[in-house]
C-alpha cells in the first residue's frame, strides 16, 4: 500500500448498522438518565422546583461547554 493510496470504502451491512444504532440509542438514553439524575440532585440541594433546577442545570452545562471550547 502506497503512502497516498486510498482505502476501499464499503457500505455497512444491515446487522452492523443495527448494532451501531442500538449502541447510539443506549448512549442517548444513558445521557438522558444522567441529566435527569443531575437535575434531581440540584433540585434536592437547592429546594428549587424541577423547572428551576433544569434551568440551572442547562446554565451550568452551557458554561462548561464554553469553558471547554475556550481551551481548544
Amino acid at each position: 500500500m502506497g503512502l497516498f493510496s486510498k482505502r476501499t470504502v464499503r457500505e455497512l451491512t444491515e446487522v452492523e448498522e443495527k448494532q451501531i444504532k442500538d449502541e447510539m440509542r443506549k448512549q442517548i438514553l444513558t445521557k438522558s438518565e444522567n441529566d435527569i439524575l443531575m437535575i434531581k440532585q440540584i433540585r434536592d440541594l437547592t429546594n428549587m422546583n424541577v423547572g428551576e433546577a433544569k434551568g440551572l442545570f442547562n446554565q451550568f452545562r452551557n458554561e462548561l461547554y464554553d469553558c471547554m471550547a475556550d481551551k481548544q
Side-chain angles (χ1 to χ4, degrees):
M1 180 161 91
L3 184 61
F4 297 106
S5 65
K6 292 187 177 187
R7 297 184 337 194
T8 304
V9 176
R10 70 173 180 83
E11 297 289 323
L12 292 173
T13 66
E14 286 184 31
V15 172
E16 290 168 330
E17 184 177 338
K18 183 180 180 320
Q19 287 174 336
I20 290 170
K21 286 180 178 178
D22 287 345
E23 183 60 31
M24 289 174 69
R25 187 176 298 108
K26 288 177 191 174
Q27 289 179 10
I28 290 169
L29 291 174
T30 299
K31 181 188 178 310
S32 296
E33 290 171 2
N34 290 339
D35 289 357
I36 291 167
L37 291 173
M38 188 57 59
I39 291 167
K40 286 182 179 179
Q41 183 178 4
I42 292 170
R43 183 196 66 196
D44 292 344
L45 290 171
T46 62
N47 293 325
M48 293 177 169
N49 66 37
V50 174
E52 293 169 327
K54 184 175 181 181
L56 187 57
F57 169 82
N58 287 328
Q59 176 187 337
F60 287 167
R61 182 173 53 193
N62 290 337
E63 289 173 5
L64 288 170
Y65 284 156
D66 290 345
C67 182
M68 290 168 53
D70 290 343
K71 290 183 180 182
Q72 290 181 352

